[in-house]
Amino acid sequence: MKTILILTAAGLLAGFAPAPQAPATGEEMRASFTGWVRFENEEFQLYGDEDQILQPFSRPCLSGAASRNAMRQAVQDLNNAKVTISARVMAWSDRDGRSIRHRGSIIRNDCGGETVLLADDIRPAN
């Protein structure tokens, strides 16, 4: 199951295959994603195509957040840049309420996907 999820999630950004399947409840899946990032409110949206960050409400994308401090720094340094994000993938259905809190940031899932990214690290892509 984890292998399928990783391959499907990677395919989402590489070729925009269908959205990744959500991990089973209680199952943790970690992965790294490379794409272009746009920051909105306290979350980021990660896109597979650079042109998408210039279009409002562009889809498909993956929503997520890092710690509040990491997000503040990333907004200044990495908005609209190509990045690599290391994260835990969480099923949107596992949220409690209308959002997910992750280390002081709030994920509202503006991308509307079945999964969101709880990021440990956001850095410029090589």
Side-chain angles (χ1 to χ4, degrees):
M1 174 71 173
K2 285 186 181 183
T3 302
I4 292 170
L5 182 58
I6 291 169
L7 292 174
T8 306
L12 175 69
L13 292 177
F16 291 99
Q21 297 175 10
T25 302
E27 183 177 332
E28 183 173 305
M29 205 279 293
R30 296 191 155 284
S32 290
F33 300 87
T34 298
W36 284 263
V37 69
R38 177 172 58 202
F39 296 91
E40 297 281 334
N41 302 311
E42 293 187 50
E43 76 173 30
F44 61 73
Q45 287 94 43
L46 187 66
Y47 297 92
D49 184 5
E50 184 176 16
D51 293 337
Q52 289 180 285
I53 59 173
L54 304 174
Q55 302 170 25
F57 311 111
S58 183
R59 300 291 180 270
C61 60
L62 288 170
S63 294
S67 70
R68 182 172 285 167
N69 289 338
M71 291 289 286
R72 285 181 185 149
Q73 189 65 46
V75 166
Q76 292 176 14
D77 298 340
L78 300 173
N79 199 31
N80 297 334
K82 187 174 184 181
V83 299
T84 297
I85 296 175
S86 299
R88 180 169 55 101
V89 179
M90 181 178 176
W92 182 242
S93 60
D94 287 347
R95 72 190 182 282
D96 183 22
R98 290 189 241 186
S99 62
I100 294 172
R101 291 192 174 275
H102 177 60
R103 299 181 179 171
S105 296
I106 298 172
I107 303 169
R108 296 183 327 215
N109 195 14
D110 288 344
C111 291
E114 291 180 24
T115 58
V116 294
L117 303 178
L118 307 180
D120 298 315
D121 186 47
I122 304 173
R123 63 183 60 222
N126 293 333

